[in-house]
Amino acid sequence: MPIFWHDSPYYAPLSSSAFLFYAGIQYAASRLVDFLWDHDYTFIPRMWPGKYRRRLFGGMTKTVQDTGSELSAEINSRILTWTIHALDEDKEVEQFFEAIPGFCGSDVVHDLERVFAKVDQTLAPAFSRFMSRTLSSSLVLEADRKRRVITCVKAVNIARLPRATMSIFGRVFGYGVEMLQSVDIGRSLRSSGDRGPNLCSQGIIAGVIASVTERDDRWMALAKDQLGVSEEVLQDYLAHGDSVLLANLIHITRPLFRLCLEDPPNMAYYLLFVLRCISKFDIENTLPGLQHDFCVLWNEIAREARRHEPHHHIPRWILRPIRHLYIALHQDTHAAPTAFDASTVNYDPVLFVSSSYPSCNIPSHHSDVTSETCSLPTHPATPFQVSASSLLPQSPPYCLSSH
């Protein structure tokens, strides 16, 4: 098929030989037509010999590359879709995902952002199924699980696939919670060499920081690198209750919120798994500066939720799983929620209404916060279109108060 359709991904042992035979016939026929044609009427076929000569001596690979450079994003995305649907074995799927970074670095295919934007919705279920089989099967060795997770995370980071990122979050935080209890997977993701937005890596590392109970030197190094803080700041966090876990939550919630604005609600559902995992701590004994940063972040998310109601479902994905932290910080204050309390079950209808979530208007909770650093960016008229580069957490993503 590559002989006739150069965008076809299929290749057989005799493809090259058959292509040379086919191109040779085309070249010979074009030379014959050129020789017999009346040279007073050369406006039609005189270009053919040069064209078919380049095809003959360039070979099938060069022809496919030349054709690929001319293909539209639509056709390139169709090739990727065609390929992933044709793969049956996990080994083949893994090889396909391994090839994505190289594909992104290729000089042959252009306009990659449009290409992957078109296939993100198709690739997301493929990543989800592959991760489900990898993390739920007892037949897959631990080393293979780790390798496959890193392969998938690296692919979605480089290709900037937000829906696929959400799918991986759902599987790793759903089936792979045991993996999150090991520093090794976090360290491997930090050293995978990704460039550009790497929200998928940072989301999983946030889960590792929150899940690992033994805070040895490796965990300390991972936390410092993830949060972008010094040794002194990290030690201050560790000396004040669960401050490091609160800093971890703030660090990743901001870009997750941006992703929630960008993506459809059915994919943002997977944020529940992430936020539930990383919000299991006691906020009351944490550093006041971090508590105030949390209030600023809560207010901005609640404001955006009210702004877009009923067209968006931010409370369902972000405010609902972290509401217990807000309740704990605002007990017996006029900023405490009135529509729900700590006994409200997760699927109570009131939690799906944006107006149920109050804002923190206690002045002392905002006195030592620098709004320039902590505020989310102002969204344009179309708030659900957020560039991929804006998904990166800022470093540091929160304000440190003076103590």
Side-chain angles (χ1 to χ4, degrees), residues 61-372:
T61 301
K62 183 64 168 61
T63 301
V64 171
Q65 289 178 344
D66 291 343
T67 303
S69 65
E70 300 171 359
L71 292 175
S72 65
E74 180 67 33
I75 296 178
N76 285 323
S77 62
R78 194 190 318 151
I79 294 172
L80 292 174
T81 302
W82 187 2
T83 303
I84 193 63
H85 285 165
L87 303 178
D88 297 322
E89 301 294 331
D90 280 349
K91 184 178 181 180
E92 297 173 338
V93 175
E94 182 178 1
Q95 290 174 342
F96 174 82
F97 292 150
E98 283 178 343
I100 288 180
F103 181 78
C104 291
S106 172
D107 295 329
V108 175
V109 182
H110 305 287
D111 205 5
L112 286 170
E113 187 172 349
R114 285 185 57 207
V115 172
F116 282 108
K118 289 178 178 293
V119 300
D120 187 17
Q121 193 165 358
T122 301
L123 290 179
F127 277 103
S128 180
R129 290 191 295 268
F130 182 64
M131 284 287 90
S132 294
R133 294 191 297 269
T134 295
L135 298 173
S136 62
S137 174
S138 59
L139 300 178
V140 180
L141 299 177
E142 188 61 31
D144 293 334
R145 284 198 183 97
K146 178 181 174 182
R147 186 190 68 249
R148 290 181 178 183
V149 169
I150 293 173
T151 295
C152 290
V153 170
K154 188 172 184 178
V156 301
N157 282 341
I158 293 178
R160 302 182 183 182
L161 301 171
R163 289 176 176 82
T165 295
M166 295 280 78
S167 294
I168 292 176
F169 280 163
R171 298 314 169 200
V172 171
F173 285 87
Y175 294 110
V177 289
E178 293 182 0
M179 180 178 293
L180 295 175
Q181 297 170 8
S182 170
V183 175
D184 292 338
I185 185 66
R187 288 167 59 86
S188 297
L189 290 173
R190 291 300 300 182
S191 61
S192 62
D194 297 340
R195 294 183 179 181
N198 54 358
L199 181 59
C200 193
S201 294
Q202 298 211 15
I204 295 175
I205 293 171
V208 172
I209 291 174
S211 302
V212 172
T213 55
E214 184 180 352
R215 297 177 177 178
D216 56 14
D217 291 342
R218 297 183 307 153
W219 182 91
M220 298 272 288
L222 182 66
K224 284 194 303 180
D225 196 16
Q226 169 81 343
L227 301 178
V229 298
S230 66
E231 176 78 22
E232 180 183 3
V233 172
L234 183 62
Q235 291 294 343
D236 193 28
Y237 288 170
L238 294 173
H240 292 83
D242 289 333
S243 291
V244 67
L245 299 183
L246 177 55
N248 184 49
L249 174 76
I250 296 171
H251 177 86
I252 200 63
T253 300
R254 193 176 301 277
L256 288 179
F257 169 55
R258 293 171 180 153
L259 189 61
C260 187
L261 285 176
E262 180 180 80
D263 281 335
N266 62 323
M267 295 307 300
Y269 160 77
Y270 292 121
L271 294 182
L272 284 172
F273 295 92
V274 182
L275 293 173
R276 284 175 181 169
C277 173
I278 66 176
S279 63
K280 297 177 180 179
F281 58 87
D282 182 2
I283 195 173
E284 295 188 61
N285 295 319
T286 56
L287 288 168
L290 289 173
Q291 295 178 1
H292 302 168
D293 295 340
F294 173 82
C295 289
V296 170
L297 181 60
W298 173 278
N299 282 358
E300 291 168 343
I301 296 173
R303 182 169 59 248
E304 287 292 319
R306 289 189 292 269
R307 176 185 174 188
H308 300 299
E309 191 176 30
H311 305 293
H312 216 264
H313 305 278
I314 299 171
R316 189 178 304 180
W317 315 129
I318 297 185
L319 297 177
R320 183 158 60 100
I322 63 173
R323 70 186 187 281
H324 64 285
L325 300 175
Y326 181 88
I327 294 172
L329 278 182
H330 298 86
Q331 295 181 81
D332 302 323
T333 70
H334 63 271
T338 57
F340 58 85
D341 56 28
S343 64
T344 305
V345 295
N346 282 330
Y347 290 95
D348 191 304
V350 73
L351 298 178
F352 295 82
V353 180
S354 297
S355 58
S356 300
Y357 296 87
S359 294
C360 172
N361 55 6
I362 301 176
S364 62
H365 285 197
H366 304 273
S367 59
D368 57 353
V369 173
T370 305
S371 59
E372 181 180 356

Side-chain angles (χ1 to χ4, degrees), residues 15-68:
S15 292
S16 296
S17 300
F19 179 85
L20 290 175
F21 178 73
Y22 174 68
I25 292 177
Q26 286 183 315
Y27 178 63
S30 67
R31 290 300 303 269
L32 179 62
V33 170
D34 183 59
F35 176 78
L36 297 176
W37 198 270
D38 186 345
H39 285 205
D40 291 333
Y41 302 94
T42 58
F43 54 86
I44 297 180
R46 292 299 298 274
M47 67 179 71
W48 290 358
K51 172 184 176 182
Y52 292 124
R53 184 179 186 278
R54 289 192 300 271
R55 181 173 295 180
L56 174 64
F57 292 100
M60 188 176 70
T61 301
K62 183 64 168 61
T63 301
V64 171
Q65 289 178 344
D66 291 343
T67 303

